[in-house]
């Protein structure tokens, strides 16, 4: 008002209103708006959130970022809806149910949004979506990860198609950022509709036990449409998504544990797909440290199970791994770890479950992990102990051909450094799939006891000669002598060497060091067509 006044500006002219009082009243208004923004949906709803065992959107942000580093954006941005009573005083919420901004996590820039369930159930309006898209675009511009703390009932029903449009804008932003910056979603409350589809397009989804749910439609809608009666937990709780559907990548007992885990995960990840942002954490764990325990951990008998995670922890820096999907397809391990301070992606068959064979779930789990690592320049370290693909009608009807092909495709396509160790056996197609030399593995090794063949000696001889008897025994022994060891592969150069188990860390560190400058020519095409 003051600056646009048309009063003549000669010395004696007095402004209609005292500018200092105008400024004071604006400041008061600003303070009021800010306090309102900080209070979200009000104390009563905050208390309800706490009673559920959940933190508020702002408390979560505080825990995620290094203390005092968070800069909020759009704190005063307000919705523009006037329908269904939304123009009433009680429906005005500065910030519109979402806290957005950037700060430091482990000293590195990270962008975040945190949905506020106390404001209209964290539902997404047109303006709420604009705030989300803004942080995603800014994060891409500066090359920093985005982490979304999701707690939302989905599209804001009062805004109708405006909120649907908002979601579509968010989805597009998710896709634009995919493979450019890491995108992480933490589901921290009941999330429905678009509130689950945006996370589904990000790289990783984590959940909180007992308080977070994910479904396209909640139990009430399910009952109305299909007559099925089901609880929130059984429809979309952590148990469902971390071990059955594979939608989520892990679960944590509460908000605090989940947010601490995110800080740990972010320490493994580059800020963007620009190679210069690859993380490095100095280590005093020597690269040439022998790992004598691994030989004892792996039984000689190819049929005796063992936990491959124990082997991995012996070999990587400080025994530290961050596992992705630990409760899904336990027959394969996918985890971030470090070698000589540099992040690697570890993929390993785990004989403790289903003898470590490849099935539909293991193939899709590992394929997605391989593709994440490749997109963000993270080298792949593969440990192989695999009896083959799981046979049977269940797998065939489920499309093991299509899903197994995903892993084969992902490994073949990956042009990051690929180092592989066969600890005990690599049979059949799974030998090819698990980052073999033929898929441009950069360094491939086998331990002396490893068996590499089309199938086990007994099965092979039964197919070749049928029946049983003394001759079969002799032929089995002959087959085993030829293939149940790594010699044939070493002679053909399918492995670079047979190495002593205790030298594994030393060999891998050395290869990864050499491979840091690996370059592969780009293939000119729009994009490949991985079997989905
Ligand atoms: C507006 C909403 C809302 C929504 C919840 N609220 N969801 N307001 N739009 N989508 C409000 C409630 O009215 C309530 O307001 C407050 O948030 C808390 O909700 P409650 O139901 O009391 O909480 P709870 O019992 O914990 O249940 C949470 C819930 C449930 C499971 C999320 O609210 C629910 O089912 N909501 C609707 C989910 C949904 O169908 N969304 C639309 C999806 S369609 P008061 O004032 O009473 O506190 C969609 C399309 C996207 O998203 C496109 C995808 C491709």
């Amino acid at each position: 008002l003051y600056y646009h006044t048309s009063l003549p500006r000669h010395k004696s002219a007095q402004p209609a209103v005292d500018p200092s009082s105008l400024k004071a009243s604006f400041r008061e208004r600003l303070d009021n708006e800010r306090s309102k923004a900080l209070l979200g949906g009000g104390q009563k709803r905050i208390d309800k959130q706490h009673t559920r065992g959940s933190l508020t959107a702002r408390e979560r942000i505080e825990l995620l970022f290094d203390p005092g580093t968070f800069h909020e954006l759009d704190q005063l941005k307000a919705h523009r809806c006037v329908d269904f009573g939304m123009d009433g005083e009680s429906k005005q919420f500065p910030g519109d149910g979402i806290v957005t901004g950037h700060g430091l996590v482990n000293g590195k820039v990270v962008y975040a949004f945190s949905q506020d369930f106390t404001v209209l159930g964290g539902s997404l309006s047109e303006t709420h979506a604009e705030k989300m898209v803004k942080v995603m675009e800014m994060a891409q511009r500066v090359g920093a990860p985005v982490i979304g703390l999701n707690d939302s009932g989905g599209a804001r029903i009062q805004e109708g198609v405006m909120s649907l449009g908002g979601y579509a804008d968010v989805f597009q932003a998710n896709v634009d950022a995919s493979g450019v910056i890491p995108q992480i979603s933490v589901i921290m409350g009941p999330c429905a509709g678009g509130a689950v589809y945006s996370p589904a397009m990000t790289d990783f989804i984590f959940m909180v036990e007992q308080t977070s749910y994910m479904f396209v439609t909640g139990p009430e809608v399910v009952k109305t449409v299909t007559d099925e009666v089901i609880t929130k937990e059984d429809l979309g709780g952590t148990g469902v998504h971390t071990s059955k559907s594979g939608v989520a990548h892990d679960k944590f007992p509460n908000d605090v544990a989940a947010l601490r885990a995110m800080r740990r995960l972010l320490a493994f990840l580059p800020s963007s797909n620009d190679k210069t942002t690859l993380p490095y954490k100095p280590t005093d764990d020597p690269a040439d440290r022998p790992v004598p325990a691994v030989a004892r951990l792996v039984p000689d008998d190819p049929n005796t199970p063992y936990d491959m995670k124990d082997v991995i922890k012996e070999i990587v820096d400080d025994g530290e791994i961050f596992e992705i999907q630990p409760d899904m397809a336990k027959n394969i391990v996918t985890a971030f770890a470090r070698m000589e301070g540099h992040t690697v992606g570890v993929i390993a068959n785990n004989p403790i479950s289903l003898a470590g064979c490849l099935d539909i779930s293991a193939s899709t789990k590992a394929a997605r992990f391989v593709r994440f690592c490749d997109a963000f320049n993270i080298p792949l370290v593969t440990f192989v102990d695999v009896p083959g693909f799981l046979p049977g009608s269940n797998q065939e009807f489920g499309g093991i051909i299509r899903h197994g092909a995903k892993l084969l495709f992902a490994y073949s396509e990956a042009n990051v450094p690929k180092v592989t160790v066969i600890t005990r056996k690599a049979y059949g197609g799974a030998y090819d799939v698990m980052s073999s030399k033929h898929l441009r593995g950069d360094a491939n090794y086998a331990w002396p006891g490893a068996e590499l063949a089309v199938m086990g000696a007994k099965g092979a001889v039964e197919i070749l000669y049928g029946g049983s008897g003394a001759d079969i025994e002799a032929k089995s022994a002959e087959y085993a002598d030829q293939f149940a060891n790594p010699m044939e592969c070493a002679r053909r150069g399918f492995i670079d060497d047979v190495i002593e188990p205790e030298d594994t860390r030393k060999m891998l560190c050395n290869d990864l060091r050499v491979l840091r400058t690996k370059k592969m020519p780009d293939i000119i095409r729009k994009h490949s067509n991985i079997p989905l």
Side-chain angles (χ1 to χ4, degrees):
L1 177 66
Y2 180 64
Y3 290 107
H4 293 281
T5 179
S6 57
L7 281 173
R9 290 175 179 233
H10 52 82
K11 263 189 173 175
S12 59
Q14 293 295 317
V17 186
D18 176 13
S20 58
S21 88
L22 252 187
K23 282 188 177 165
S25 84
F26 173 72
R27 182 152 295 285
E28 195 180 321
R29 204 175 128 212
L30 182 64
D31 288 346
N32 281 343
E33 286 289 293
R34 285 208 194 287
S35 330
K36 238 175 128 182
L38 296 181
L39 216 54
Q43 194 57 49
K44 235 171 85 186
R45 287 197 173 84
I46 291 176
D47 293 344
K48 198 170 163 194
Q49 185 83 348
H50 286 157
T51 313
R52 280 183 193 215
S54 295
L55 297 174
T56 64
R58 288 181 184 280
E59 289 164 345
R60 288 168 179 163
I61 286 280
E62 283 298 308
L63 278 171
L64 175 65
F65 286 96
D66 299 348
T69 63
F70 184 69
H71 291 264
E72 189 171 354
L73 304 169
D74 292 333
Q75 189 185 51
L76 305 178
K77 186 153 175 162
H79 71 72
R80 300 182 279 259
C81 181
V82 291
D83 300 319
F84 300 101
M86 289 298 287
D87 52 350
E89 183 52 34
S90 66
K91 300 292 181 190
Q92 304 309 310
F93 302 99
D96 202 21
I98 185 165
V99 181
T100 60
H102 58 84
L104 301 178
V105 177
N106 312 309
K108 288 198 301 189
V109 175
V110 171
Y111 277 76
F113 62 83
S114 180
Q115 292 177 310
D116 185 348
F117 193 78
T118 70
V119 175
L120 303 163
S123 57
L124 181 136
S125 66
E126 189 186 20
T127 41
H128 181 119
E130 284 168 1
K131 287 182 68 171
M132 279 169 86
V133 170
K134 189 195 258 188
V135 286
M136 288 160 145
E137 289 180 351
M138 286 307 299
Q140 260 187 91
R141 257 180 240 172
V142 306
V146 173
I147 180 156
L149 309 180
N150 297 270
D151 197 348
S152 167
R156 188 171 300 163
I157 294 161
Q158 295 90 328
E159 289 207 11
V161 76
M162 302 307 282
S163 56
L164 292 186
Y167 259 129
D169 292 339
V170 171
F171 301 151
Q172 183 68 57
N174 283 130
V175 175
D176 290 348
S178 184
V180 181
I181 48 171
Q183 298 182 83
I184 300 171
S185 303
V186 194
I187 310 298
M188 308 196 83
C191 287
V196 296
Y197 269 114
S198 169
M201 303 234 247
T202 63
D203 298 305
F204 301 108
I205 299 180
F206 298 96
M207 295 180 76
V208 180
E209 281 166 322
Q210 304 299 326
T211 51
S212 77
Y213 308 94
M214 297 180 79
F215 20 69
V216 172
T217 51
E220 278 94 63
V221 180
V222 171
K223 165 105 184 43
T224 312
V225 177
T226 69
D227 246 0
E228 184 187 3
V229 177
I230 190 161
T231 63
K232 273 198 290 197
E233 190 65 40
D234 289 346
L235 185 64
T238 51
V240 173
H241 291 310
T242 57
S243 60
K244 277 193 195 139
S245 72
V247 164
H249 294 88
D250 206 358
K251 59 181 192 298
F252 299 97
N254 52 51
D255 285 13
V256 178
L259 295 163
R260 284 206 180 122
M262 293 309 100
R263 290 178 55 85
R264 208 162 76 75
L265 172 61
L266 282 163
F268 281 101
L269 304 184
S271 295
S272 74
N273 65 344
D274 179 342
K275 267 190 174 173
T276 60
T277 67
L278 282 171
Y280 168 70
K281 186 179 170 189
T283 175
D284 52 12
D285 190 352
D288 60 356
R289 167 172 63 81
V291 286
V294 294
R296 288 196 299 278
L297 289 169
V298 179
D300 289 337
D301 173 16
N303 299 320
T304 307
Y306 65 97
D307 191 347
M308 184 66 100
K309 275 188 247 177
D310 295 335
V311 175
I312 298 167
K313 286 179 188 166
E314 283 294 324
I315 292 169
V316 302
D317 288 3
D318 306 316
E320 192 193 354
I321 62 171
F322 189 102
E323 211 181 332
I324 298 296
Q325 293 197 300
D327 298 330
M328 184 78 194
K330 293 183 179 179
N331 37 331
I332 203 153
V333 179
T334 50
F336 294 110
R338 292 186 187 87
M339 295 292 267
E340 267 197 290
H342 295 269
T343 299
V344 294
V346 178
I347 303 97
N349 310 112
N350 197 349
I352 206 165
S353 174
L354 288 172
C357 69
L358 286 179
D359 61 356
I360 292 170
S361 300
S363 302
T364 51
K365 168 180 166 179
R368 184 146 173 81
F369 185 73
V370 166
R371 296 194 92 223
F372 175 84
C373 292
D374 188 46
F376 289 98
N377 303 304
I378 297 171
L380 302 172
V381 175
T382 304
F383 294 101
V384 184
D385 190 344
V386 64
F389 277 99
L390 180 65
S393 57
N394 253 343
Q395 290 289 307
E396 296 292 356
F397 295 174
I400 182 66
I401 299 172
R402 181 161 56 91
H403 298 294
K406 290 178 183 171
L407 185 55
L408 182 53
F409 203 107
Y411 263 126
S412 310
E413 194 180 39
N415 59 16
V416 287
K418 295 187 275 196
V419 298
T420 304
V421 179
I422 299 165
T423 60
R424 198 170 58 169
K425 60 186 174 305
Y427 280 125
Y431 156 78
D432 282 341
V433 172
M434 294 301 296
S435 199
S436 63
K437 184 55 101 187
H438 320 270
L439 306 184
R440 296 206 196 102
D442 296 299
N444 293 66
Y445 301 113
W447 289 356
E451 304 175 9
L452 299 94
V454 174
M455 58 178 69
K458 192 161 168 285
V461 170
E462 269 170 23
I463 289 177
L464 287 178
Y465 302 101
S468 60
D471 194 32
I472 295 297
E473 292 296 312
K475 286 284 177 201
S476 288
E478 188 188 326
Y479 192 89
D481 185 50
Q482 177 139 6
F483 291 119
N485 61 64
M487 187 55 84
E488 186 73 12
C489 279
R491 287 161 64 106
R492 289 174 186 276
F494 294 174
I495 50 174
D496 294 285
D497 208 349
V498 179
I499 61 168
E500 290 306 321
E502 69 164 34
D503 292 336
T504 305
R505 175 174 162 85
K506 184 174 87 180
M507 298 295 286
L508 295 185
C509 281
N510 192 43
D511 282 312
L512 289 164
R513 207 180 305 130
V514 169
L515 288 164
R516 246 161 244 154
T517 52
K518 177 182 174 183
K519 275 199 198 99
M520 293 286 287
D522 286 334
I523 299 171
I524 296 170
R525 61 182 158 197
K526 190 165 175 206
H527 58 71
S528 59
N529 192 12
I530 189 163
L532 294 175

